[in-house]
Amino acid sequence: VRKVLLWTLVLEAGGAAILTARFAGTYGFWQAFRWGIFHAISAFCNAGFDLFGKLKSGSSLELFVHDPVVNFVIMALIVIGGLGFYVWVDLSRRGRLKRLSVHTKLVLSITAVLIFGGAALFALLEWNNPETIGRFSTGEKLLASLFQSVTCRTAGYASVPQGALTDASKALSSVLMLIGGSAGSTAGGIKTVTVGILLLSALNAARGKSRLTVFGRTIGDG
């Protein structure tokens, strides 16, 4: 518990410091300081609350869609919070990939697939949509697609207008929101490992196998 609390404070403080530095040049130190702390905590907790309505009503992070610093800091906090405290502890104790628990390996692999797979699909579906990312440069399109894939899992920020997404992108967002984050994390949803085991079990059954083996370990029916 002490480790979890310490890491939480360090991560949120680090995110707050970077966001404060980024906002300070444009909005002044005290405004940037308040925004930095609030959004670092909100992102880490996968809450999705923002204060940028003061700049433009209902804008969320749309005003920073081209800002890599704001995007990557928010995404990093969302992902780390969504991995779960069990994964943190396992990574800190074991370090090497081969020594990690099956749970941690599943969380890391499924999270990576969801983030980058979702980003690729969003980019494909929205590439030429002028109301979302169609008018951006290639790099900006990829950044916005990655942010959309990360945030819609359970965080709830938006760097592009959600109402302007194609119907296919809205459906994809709904699937990612349903899955959410991992067990023991700050994220909601039915959880990454749950979905992963369900899909692997279905694939296993389709192959006519009765035992489900993942990373060299058998997962029981219970």
PDB file of all heavy atoms in Angstrom, residues 154-180:
ATOM      1  N   THR A 154     -11.551   4.468 -20.952  1.00  0.00           N
ATOM      2  CA  THR A 154     -12.379   4.876 -19.805  1.00  0.00           C
ATOM      3  C   THR A 154     -12.104   6.294 -19.347  1.00  0.00           C
ATOM      4  O   THR A 154     -12.766   6.784 -18.447  1.00  0.00           O
ATOM      5  CB  THR A 154     -12.193   3.968 -18.554  1.00  0.00           C
ATOM      6  OG1 THR A 154     -10.852   4.056 -18.099  1.00  0.00           O
ATOM      7  CG2 THR A 154     -12.562   2.540 -18.842  1.00  0.00           C
ATOM      8  N   ALA A 155     -11.148   6.978 -19.957  1.00  0.00           N
ATOM      9  CA  ALA A 155     -10.771   8.300 -19.455  1.00  0.00           C
ATOM     10  C   ALA A 155     -11.795   9.370 -19.815  1.00  0.00           C
ATOM     11  O   ALA A 155     -12.200  10.156 -18.968  1.00  0.00           O
ATOM     12  CB  ALA A 155      -9.405   8.695 -19.986  1.00  0.00           C
ATOM     13  N   GLY A 156     -12.202   9.431 -21.078  1.00  0.00           N
ATOM     14  CA  GLY A 156     -13.258  10.360 -21.444  1.00  0.00           C
ATOM     15  C   GLY A 156     -12.848  11.730 -21.930  1.00  0.00           C
ATOM     16  O   GLY A 156     -13.700  12.582 -22.153  1.00  0.00           O
ATOM     17  N   TYR A 157     -11.546  11.990 -22.097  1.00  0.00           N
ATOM     18  CA  TYR A 157     -11.130  13.234 -22.743  1.00  0.00           C
ATOM     19  C   TYR A 157     -11.426  13.138 -24.239  1.00  0.00           C
ATOM     20  O   TYR A 157     -11.657  12.050 -24.768  1.00  0.00           O
ATOM     21  CB  TYR A 157      -9.632  13.480 -22.564  1.00  0.00           C
ATOM     22  CG  TYR A 157      -9.205  13.793 -21.156  1.00  0.00           C
ATOM     23  CD1 TYR A 157      -8.439  12.884 -20.433  1.00  0.00           C
ATOM     24  CD2 TYR A 157      -9.541  14.998 -20.555  1.00  0.00           C
ATOM     25  CE1 TYR A 157      -8.030  13.174 -19.147  1.00  0.00           C
ATOM     26  CE2 TYR A 157      -9.128  15.295 -19.264  1.00  0.00           C
ATOM     27  CZ  TYR A 157      -8.373  14.368 -18.564  1.00  0.00           C
ATOM     28  OH  TYR A 157      -7.965  14.652 -17.291  1.00  0.00           O
ATOM     29  N   ALA A 158     -11.362  14.267 -24.921  1.00  0.00           N
ATOM     30  CA  ALA A 158     -11.565  14.270 -26.363  1.00  0.00           C
ATOM     31  C   ALA A 158     -10.680  15.331 -26.998  1.00  0.00           C
ATOM     32  O   ALA A 158     -10.722  16.491 -26.599  1.00  0.00           O
ATOM     33  CB  ALA A 158     -13.022  14.544 -26.705  1.00  0.00           C
ATOM     34  N   SER A 159      -9.871  14.937 -27.977  1.00  0.00           N
ATOM     35  CA  SER A 159      -9.049  15.905 -28.698  1.00  0.00           C
ATOM     36  C   SER A 159      -9.638  16.203 -30.071  1.00  0.00           C
ATOM     37  O   SER A 159      -9.148  17.085 -30.775  1.00  0.00           O
ATOM     38  CB  SER A 159      -7.607  15.399 -28.837  1.00  0.00           C
ATOM     39  OG  SER A 159      -7.558  14.221 -29.613  1.00  0.00           O
ATOM     40  N   VAL A 160     -10.666  15.447 -30.464  1.00  0.00           N
ATOM     41  CA  VAL A 160     -11.420  15.733 -31.693  1.00  0.00           C
ATOM     42  C   VAL A 160     -12.909  15.669 -31.351  1.00  0.00           C
ATOM     43  O   VAL A 160     -13.296  14.982 -30.395  1.00  0.00           O
ATOM     44  CB  VAL A 160     -11.091  14.738 -32.829  1.00  0.00           C
ATOM     45  CG1 VAL A 160      -9.646  14.872 -33.267  1.00  0.00           C
ATOM     46  CG2 VAL A 160     -11.401  13.311 -32.410  1.00  0.00           C
ATOM     47  N   PRO A 161     -13.770  16.369 -32.099  1.00  0.00           N
ATOM     48  CA  PRO A 161     -15.204  16.350 -31.797  1.00  0.00           C
ATOM     49  C   PRO A 161     -15.782  14.935 -31.916  1.00  0.00           C
ATOM     50  O   PRO A 161     -15.748  14.333 -32.990  1.00  0.00           O
ATOM     51  CB  PRO A 161     -15.796  17.283 -32.862  1.00  0.00           C
ATOM     52  CG  PRO A 161     -14.655  18.128 -33.327  1.00  0.00           C
ATOM     53  CD  PRO A 161     -13.443  17.264 -33.234  1.00  0.00           C
ATOM     54  N   GLN A 162     -16.316  14.422 -30.836  1.00  0.00           N
ATOM     55  CA  GLN A 162     -16.821  13.046 -30.840  1.00  0.00           C
ATOM     56  C   GLN A 162     -18.073  12.889 -31.698  1.00  0.00           C
ATOM     57  O   GLN A 162     -18.298  11.842 -32.309  1.00  0.00           O
ATOM     58  CB  GLN A 162     -17.106  12.599 -29.408  1.00  0.00           C
ATOM     59  CG  GLN A 162     -15.884  12.594 -28.506  1.00  0.00           C
ATOM     60  CD  GLN A 162     -14.793  11.660 -29.003  1.00  0.00           C
ATOM     61  OE1 GLN A 162     -14.928  10.442 -28.944  1.00  0.00           O
ATOM     62  NE2 GLN A 162     -13.699  12.228 -29.504  1.00  0.00           N
ATOM     63  N   GLY A 163     -18.889  13.930 -31.767  1.00  0.00           N
ATOM     64  CA  GLY A 163     -20.091  13.859 -32.576  1.00  0.00           C
ATOM     65  C   GLY A 163     -19.810  13.818 -34.066  1.00  0.00           C
ATOM     66  O   GLY A 163     -20.667  13.415 -34.857  1.00  0.00           O
ATOM     67  N   ALA A 164     -18.599  14.226 -34.457  1.00  0.00           N
ATOM     68  CA  ALA A 164     -18.233  14.264 -35.872  1.00  0.00           C
ATOM     69  C   ALA A 164     -17.572  12.975 -36.345  1.00  0.00           C
ATOM     70  O   ALA A 164     -17.261  12.827 -37.533  1.00  0.00           O
ATOM     71  CB  ALA A 164     -17.303  15.444 -36.140  1.00  0.00           C
ATOM     72  N   LEU A 165     -17.340  12.027 -35.446  1.00  0.00           N
ATOM     73  CA  LEU A 165     -16.738  10.754 -35.833  1.00  0.00           C
ATOM     74  C   LEU A 165     -17.658   9.995 -36.787  1.00  0.00           C
ATOM     75  O   LEU A 165     -18.882  10.142 -36.743  1.00  0.00           O
ATOM     76  CB  LEU A 165     -16.482   9.883 -34.597  1.00  0.00           C
ATOM     77  CG  LEU A 165     -15.436  10.358 -33.586  1.00  0.00           C
ATOM     78  CD1 LEU A 165     -15.488   9.489 -32.337  1.00  0.00           C
ATOM     79  CD2 LEU A 165     -14.041  10.340 -34.190  1.00  0.00           C
ATOM     80  N   THR A 166     -17.070   9.173 -37.633  1.00  0.00           N
ATOM     81  CA  THR A 166     -17.878   8.313 -38.490  1.00  0.00           C
ATOM     82  C   THR A 166     -18.609   7.294 -37.620  1.00  0.00           C
ATOM     83  O   THR A 166     -18.221   7.038 -36.469  1.00  0.00           O
ATOM     84  CB  THR A 166     -17.005   7.567 -39.505  1.00  0.00           C
ATOM     85  OG1 THR A 166     -16.087   6.718 -38.798  1.00  0.00           O
ATOM     86  CG2 THR A 166     -16.214   8.537 -40.373  1.00  0.00           C
ATOM     87  N   ASP A 167     -19.658   6.688 -38.165  1.00  0.00           N
ATOM     88  CA  ASP A 167     -20.415   5.693 -37.401  1.00  0.00           C
ATOM     89  C   ASP A 167     -19.532   4.507 -37.005  1.00  0.00           C
ATOM     90  O   ASP A 167     -19.665   3.957 -35.909  1.00  0.00           O
ATOM     91  CB  ASP A 167     -21.607   5.195 -38.222  1.00  0.00           C
ATOM     92  CG  ASP A 167     -22.691   6.252 -38.362  1.00  0.00           C
ATOM     93  OD1 ASP A 167     -22.693   7.205 -37.551  1.00  0.00           O
ATOM     94  OD2 ASP A 167     -23.527   6.130 -39.277  1.00  0.00           O
ATOM     95  N   ALA A 168     -18.624   4.135 -37.899  1.00  0.00           N
ATOM     96  CA  ALA A 168     -17.719   3.020 -37.597  1.00  0.00           C
ATOM     97  C   ALA A 168     -16.796   3.369 -36.431  1.00  0.00           C
ATOM     98  O   ALA A 168     -16.524   2.526 -35.559  1.00  0.00           O
ATOM     99  CB  ALA A 168     -16.903   2.669 -38.834  1.00  0.00           C
ATOM    100  N   SER A 169     -16.315   4.615 -36.388  1.00  0.00           N
ATOM    101  CA  SER A 169     -15.445   5.046 -35.288  1.00  0.00           C
ATOM    102  C   SER A 169     -16.209   5.108 -33.971  1.00  0.00           C
ATOM    103  O   SER A 169     -15.665   4.790 -32.914  1.00  0.00           O
ATOM    104  CB  SER A 169     -14.839   6.412 -35.594  1.00  0.00           C
ATOM    105  OG  SER A 169     -13.897   6.326 -36.644  1.00  0.00           O
ATOM    106  N   LYS A 170     -17.469   5.525 -34.033  1.00  0.00           N
ATOM    107  CA  LYS A 170     -18.293   5.540 -32.823  1.00  0.00           C
ATOM    108  C   LYS A 170     -18.490   4.125 -32.286  1.00  0.00           C
ATOM    109  O   LYS A 170     -18.457   3.901 -31.073  1.00  0.00           O
ATOM    110  CB  LYS A 170     -19.637   6.196 -33.114  1.00  0.00           C
ATOM    111  CG  LYS A 170     -19.548   7.692 -33.388  1.00  0.00           C
ATOM    112  CD  LYS A 170     -20.904   8.272 -33.774  1.00  0.00           C
ATOM    113  CE  LYS A 170     -20.801   9.755 -34.099  1.00  0.00           C
ATOM    114  NZ  LYS A 170     -22.096  10.328 -34.537  1.00  0.00           N
ATOM    115  N   ALA A 171     -18.691   3.167 -33.188  1.00  0.00           N
ATOM    116  CA  ALA A 171     -18.841   1.767 -32.772  1.00  0.00           C
ATOM    117  C   ALA A 171     -17.551   1.258 -32.150  1.00  0.00           C
ATOM    118  O   ALA A 171     -17.568   0.573 -31.119  1.00  0.00           O
ATOM    119  CB  ALA A 171     -19.232   0.902 -33.976  1.00  0.00           C
ATOM    120  N   LEU A 172     -16.416   1.595 -32.758  1.00  0.00           N
ATOM    121  CA  LEU A 172     -15.117   1.192 -32.219  1.00  0.00           C
ATOM    122  C   LEU A 172     -14.901   1.806 -30.843  1.00  0.00           C
ATOM    123  O   LEU A 172     -14.415   1.127 -29.919  1.00  0.00           O
ATOM    124  CB  LEU A 172     -14.004   1.624 -33.174  1.00  0.00           C
ATOM    125  CG  LEU A 172     -12.567   1.385 -32.707  1.00  0.00           C
ATOM    126  CD1 LEU A 172     -12.322  -0.094 -32.420  1.00  0.00           C
ATOM    127  CD2 LEU A 172     -11.585   1.906 -33.757  1.00  0.00           C
ATOM    128  N   SER A 173     -15.268   3.077 -30.688  1.00  0.00           N
ATOM    129  CA  SER A 173     -15.136   3.736 -29.385  1.00  0.00           C
ATOM    130  C   SER A 173     -15.967   3.013 -28.330  1.00  0.00           C
ATOM    131  O   SER A 173     -15.518   2.835 -27.190  1.00  0.00           O
ATOM    132  CB  SER A 173     -15.597   5.203 -29.487  1.00  0.00           C
ATOM    133  OG  SER A 173     -14.776   5.939 -30.353  1.00  0.00           O
ATOM    134  N   SER A 174     -17.153   2.583 -28.705  1.00  0.00           N
ATOM    135  CA  SER A 174     -18.032   1.884 -27.764  1.00  0.00           C
ATOM    136  C   SER A 174     -17.423   0.557 -27.326  1.00  0.00           C
ATOM    137  O   SER A 174     -17.499   0.189 -26.143  1.00  0.00           O
ATOM    138  CB  SER A 174     -19.402   1.639 -28.414  1.00  0.00           C
ATOM    139  OG  SER A 174     -20.047   2.855 -28.720  1.00  0.00           O
ATOM    140  N   VAL A 175     -16.803  -0.155 -28.264  1.00  0.00           N
ATOM    141  CA  VAL A 175     -16.156  -1.427 -27.923  1.00  0.00           C
ATOM    142  C   VAL A 175     -15.001  -1.200 -26.958  1.00  0.00           C
ATOM    143  O   VAL A 175     -14.853  -1.911 -25.948  1.00  0.00           O
ATOM    144  CB  VAL A 175     -15.654  -2.137 -29.198  1.00  0.00           C
ATOM    145  CG1 VAL A 175     -14.798  -3.352 -28.832  1.00  0.00           C
ATOM    146  CG2 VAL A 175     -16.831  -2.572 -30.058  1.00  0.00           C
ATOM    147  N   LEU A 176     -14.170  -0.213 -27.240  1.00  0.00           N
ATOM    148  CA  LEU A 176     -13.033   0.079 -26.369  1.00  0.00           C
ATOM    149  C   LEU A 176     -13.499   0.537 -24.990  1.00  0.00           C
ATOM    150  O   LEU A 176     -12.895   0.178 -23.971  1.00  0.00           O
ATOM    151  CB  LEU A 176     -12.139   1.140 -27.009  1.00  0.00           C
ATOM    152  CG  LEU A 176     -11.392   0.712 -28.270  1.00  0.00           C
ATOM    153  CD1 LEU A 176     -10.642   1.889 -28.872  1.00  0.00           C
ATOM    154  CD2 LEU A 176     -10.428  -0.425 -27.970  1.00  0.00           C
ATOM    155  N   MET A 177     -14.568   1.326 -24.940  1.00  0.00           N
ATOM    156  CA  MET A 177     -15.109   1.776 -23.655  1.00  0.00           C
ATOM    157  C   MET A 177     -15.654   0.601 -22.850  1.00  0.00           C
ATOM    158  O   MET A 177     -15.533   0.565 -21.628  1.00  0.00           O
ATOM    159  CB  MET A 177     -16.194   2.822 -23.879  1.00  0.00           C
ATOM    160  CG  MET A 177     -15.667   4.183 -24.276  1.00  0.00           C
ATOM    161  SD  MET A 177     -16.939   5.468 -24.275  1.00  0.00           S
ATOM    162  CE  MET A 177     -17.836   5.055 -25.764  1.00  0.00           C
ATOM    163  N   LEU A 178     -16.266  -0.352 -23.532  1.00  0.00           N
ATOM    164  CA  LEU A 178     -16.791  -1.537 -22.852  1.00  0.00           C
ATOM    165  C   LEU A 178     -15.664  -2.342 -22.211  1.00  0.00           C
ATOM    166  O   LEU A 178     -15.786  -2.803 -21.075  1.00  0.00           O
ATOM    167  CB  LEU A 178     -17.551  -2.410 -23.850  1.00  0.00           C
ATOM    168  CG  LEU A 178     -18.090  -3.741 -23.312  1.00  0.00           C
ATOM    169  CD1 LEU A 178     -19.162  -3.500 -22.254  1.00  0.00           C
ATOM    170  CD2 LEU A 178     -18.636  -4.594 -24.449  1.00  0.00           C
ATOM    171  N   ILE A 179     -14.557  -2.489 -22.916  1.00  0.00           N
ATOM    172  CA  ILE A 179     -13.419  -3.258 -22.390  1.00  0.00           C
ATOM    173  C   ILE A 179     -12.772  -2.524 -21.222  1.00  0.00           C
ATOM    174  O   ILE A 179     -12.517  -3.107 -20.165  1.00  0.00           O
ATOM    175  CB  ILE A 179     -12.383  -3.509 -23.495  1.00  0.00           C
ATOM    176  CG1 ILE A 179     -12.996  -4.374 -24.603  1.00  0.00           C
ATOM    177  CG2 ILE A 179     -11.134  -4.183 -22.915  1.00  0.00           C
ATOM    178  CD1 ILE A 179     -12.134  -4.495 -25.837  1.00  0.00           C
ATOM    179  N   GLY A 180     -12.471  -1.246 -21.399  1.00  0.00           N
ATOM    180  CA  GLY A 180     -11.896  -0.451 -20.319  1.00  0.00           C
ATOM    181  C   GLY A 180     -10.460  -0.811 -19.991  1.00  0.00           C
ATOM    182  O   GLY A 180      -9.670  -1.167 -20.867  1.00  0.00           O
TER     183      GLY A 180
END
